[in-house]
């Protein structure tokens, strides 16, 4: 069966060039520990630093501002816990707890970290987001208090693709002297990211979302930003992240970043055109289908579509049987009975949230893929609706 992968926001396949770049650091003479002073160690160290330069170039940072981590989750946690710990150390003796501002549509790597901080006495404001899926910078500004130590707003949302006004929020944060973090895990490699233009202090990245290996990420830490490490151990990553570096993974991340820089502009136009054809084809053939946040600034590859009276998990399974891979909201919430917090945050009822499917396109998708997807999707919707007593009842009452 010919298979179509439209779940690139969950993860992407390793690019062959990335695999080739990693190989010498897995099974060849590049296996050394980058902290060793002998030839093997220095070879690994040189590769590590070269990769750091490449990742820095992807976001227009300096190489010294890049700290390698185990992925987006660790980068987000380091940003939140690290800034709050540094603020607590700076304000030694202050009688009021630190305050953190974030939004209701963040990835769980930020939301659950914020909740864990709340349990430790930090005050957290979760700024709501309307049906556009885009936070209002004015709402962020109104939430600021003298105790606000950190604002964390994602660059683009993993379920909706909506792009947040990060540059504006960052300006507000700077005006108030507050550290600003953005989770750019879904944006990097899909749209241009320039930390200088954005003016952010901290930015999270993950290699596996841009055709790099899983288990590798980075946190951009702007020079001069006060941050405590999440873990303690060796003096790796300039004392900002201990542990023997995942050299092959980091080399892969570096190569993936280079490939992303080369192909970014053409690819994003090509993918946006394919996404347009997918949405058009679906809307033409399927009744009661709605594209979420279609009028908002969106990532070129992401499409969140609600098919009323279709159960999302059922859709994903039925589509998979026909060779189409997609997902219900975030991959991490699949299998859970709770509807996606992101869809609830933009005003969806539980039923509407459960009827929503995320299609996320990638480098390997072709016109043929979209053509086939547009044939499969109406069949799946029709079949599931024919099994839904609720849909039939509504259809009869019309
Ligand atoms: C917006 C966002 N942040 C963070 C993460 C976590 O990244 P990782 O899988 O590298 O831990 C993801 C993964 O889906 C994501 O979409």
């Amino acid at each position: 069966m010919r298979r179509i992968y439209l779940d690139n926001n969950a993860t992407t396949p390793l690019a062959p060039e990335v695999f080739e770049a990693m190989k010498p650091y897995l099974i060849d003479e590049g296996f050394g520990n980058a902290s060793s002073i002998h030839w093997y160690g220095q070879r690994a160290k040189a590769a590590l630093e070269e990769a750091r330069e490449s990742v820095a170039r992807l976001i227009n940072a300096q190489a010294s501002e890049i700290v390698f981590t185990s992925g987006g989750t660790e980068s987000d946690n380091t940003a939140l816990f690290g800034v709050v710990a540094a603020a607590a150390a700076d304000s030694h003796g202050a009688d009021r707890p630190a305050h953190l501002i974030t939004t209701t549509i963040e990835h769980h790597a930020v939301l659950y970290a914020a909740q864990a901080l709340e349990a430790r006495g930090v005050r957290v404001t979760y700024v709501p987001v309307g049906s556009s899926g885009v936070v209002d910078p004015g709402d962020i500004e109104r939430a600021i208090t003298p105790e606000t130590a950190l604002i964390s707003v994602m660059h683009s949302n993993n379920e909706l693709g909506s792009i947040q006004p990060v540059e504006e929020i960052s300006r507000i944060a700077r005006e108030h002297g507050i550290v600003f973090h953005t989770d750019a895990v879904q944006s990097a490699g899909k749209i241009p990211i320039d930390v200088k233009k954005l003016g952010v202090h901290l930015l999270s990245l993950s290699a596996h979302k841009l055709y790099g290996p899983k288990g590798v990420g980075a946190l951009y830490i702007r020079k001069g930003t006060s941050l405590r490490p999440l873990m303690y151990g060796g003096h790796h990553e300039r004392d900002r992240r201990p542990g023997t570096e995942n050299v092959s993974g980091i080399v892969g991340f570096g190569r993936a970043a280079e490939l992303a820089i080369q192909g970014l502009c053409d690819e994003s136009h090509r993918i946006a055109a394919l996404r347009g054809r997918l949405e058009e084809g679906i809307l033409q053939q399927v009744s009661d289908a709605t594209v979420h946040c279609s009028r908002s600034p969106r990532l070129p590859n992401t499409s969140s579509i609600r098919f009323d009276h279709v159960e999302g998990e059922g859709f994903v399974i039925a589509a998979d049987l026909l060779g189409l891979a997609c997902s219900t909201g975030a991959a991490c919430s699949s299998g859970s009975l709770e509807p996606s917090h992101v869809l609830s945050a933009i005003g969806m009822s539980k039923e509407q949230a459960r009827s929503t499917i995320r299609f996320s396109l990638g480098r390997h998708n072709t016109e043929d893929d979209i053509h086939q997807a547009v044939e499969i999707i109406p069949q799946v919707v029709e079949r599931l609706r024919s099994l839904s007593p609720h849909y039939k009842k509504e259809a009869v009452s019309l």
Side-chain angles (χ1 to χ4, degrees):
M1 186 202 293
R2 184 169 178 274
R3 291 198 175 272
I4 307 157
Y5 184 73
L6 296 186
D7 200 15
N8 288 273
N9 284 10
T11 196
T12 56
L14 202 69
E17 298 92 328
V18 170
F19 183 51
E20 284 307 316
M22 290 171 71
K23 265 197 222 161
Y25 300 91
L26 285 165
I27 56 166
D28 224 334
E29 289 173 341
F31 70 87
N33 183 327
S35 301
S36 305
I37 56 170
H38 48 60
W39 183 86
Y40 293 93
Q42 291 313 297
R43 194 177 159 189
K45 175 83 179 154
L48 200 70
E49 295 314 319
E50 206 180 303
R52 201 185 303 279
E53 297 276 351
S54 301
V55 172
R57 254 197 310 279
L58 179 68
I59 58 169
N60 194 25
Q62 288 173 30
S64 59
E65 296 172 313
I66 300 295
V67 172
F68 288 114
T69 65
S70 65
T73 300
E74 186 188 324
S75 298
D76 286 345
N77 275 266
T78 304
L80 267 68
F81 282 94
V83 170
V84 169
D90 288 349
S91 65
H92 199 63
D95 52 3
R96 293 221 274 180
H99 177 229
L100 158 68
I101 300 172
T102 188
T103 77
T104 49
I105 60 164
E106 299 300 309
H107 189 272
H108 282 138
V110 166
L111 276 187
Y112 288 166
Q115 286 173 18
L117 283 166
E118 267 187 298
R120 295 181 188 185
V122 173
R123 218 166 61 72
V124 182
T125 303
Y126 300 92
V127 175
V129 170
S131 59
S132 65
V134 177
V135 70
D136 177 350
D139 289 342
I140 300 281
E141 186 158 29
R142 281 184 284 279
I144 292 173
T145 72
E147 287 73 39
T148 308
L150 175 68
I151 299 174
S152 180
V153 176
M154 70 199 320
H155 194 274
S156 63
N157 183 267
N158 43 306
E159 294 186 44
L160 305 166
S162 54
I163 299 172
Q164 306 303 311
V166 165
E167 205 174 324
E168 214 178 325
I169 299 168
S170 161
R171 183 184 50 73
I172 292 167
R174 279 198 313 279
E175 279 170 10
H176 289 81
I178 298 166
V179 177
F180 180 55
H181 164 249
T182 190
D183 173 342
V185 164
Q186 289 294 346
S187 300
K190 295 182 182 124
I191 52 174
I193 301 282
D194 181 333
V195 289
K196 296 215 170 69
K197 198 157 163 266
L198 292 175
V200 297
H201 296 90
L202 301 156
L203 181 141
S204 301
L205 297 170
S206 177
H208 76 101
K209 307 288 186 184
L210 48 117
Y211 309 91
K214 293 171 182 58
V216 192
L219 181 64
Y220 157 78
I221 307 177
R222 196 211 286 177
K223 204 168 167 220
T225 306
S226 208
L227 191 90
R228 289 279 171 106
L230 197 61
M231 302 183 287
Y232 292 88
H235 296 289
H236 310 85
E237 298 294 287
R238 299 171 173 222
D239 284 330
R240 294 173 296 186
R241 201 278 189 178
T244 302
E245 298 89 347
N246 171 4
V247 177
S248 62
I250 290 169
V251 166
F253 189 7
R255 188 75 186 101
E258 282 169 17
L259 295 170
I261 296 167
Q262 284 162 22
L264 195 63
C265 191
D266 291 349
E267 263 305 276
S268 67
H269 283 110
R270 188 186 73 86
I271 289 175
L274 290 181
R275 196 254 316 258
R277 248 160 266 156
L278 177 72
E279 291 182 346
E280 227 173 83
I282 291 172
L283 295 179
Q284 271 169 11
Q285 295 188 54
V286 182
S287 60
D288 301 317
T290 310
V291 179
H292 295 143
C293 306
S294 61
R295 296 219 180 93
S296 305
R298 276 191 301 165
L299 291 174
N301 79 317
T302 308
S303 187
S304 170
I305 306 188
R306 187 175 84 237
F307 300 100
D308 289 338
H309 306 296
V310 168
E311 202 278 308
E313 298 283 332
F315 183 103
V316 171
I317 294 163
D320 190 44
L321 290 172
L322 296 173
L324 173 66
C326 54
S327 73
T328 54
C332 57
S333 65
S334 298
S336 113
L337 288 174
E338 277 307 300
S340 139
H341 69 280
V342 172
L343 298 171
S344 302
I346 62 162
M348 300 283 122
S349 67
K350 280 190 176 184
E351 286 66 34
Q352 289 175 321
R354 289 207 183 100
S355 306
T356 296
I357 303 296
R358 179 185 71 182
F359 303 99
S360 49
L361 284 64
R363 189 180 286 173
H364 301 286
N365 291 128
T366 61
E367 296 262 358
D368 280 352
D369 286 350
I370 300 308
H371 189 74
Q372 202 170 326
V374 169
E375 281 184 359
I376 291 171
I377 293 163
Q379 287 175 45
V380 173
V381 172
E382 199 179 318
R383 171 108 185 98
L384 292 175
R385 281 182 178 163
S386 74
L387 299 171
S388 158
H390 195 54
Y391 186 68
K392 274 192 216 144
K393 219 183 289 160
E394 285 217 351
V396 167
S397 69
L398 281 175

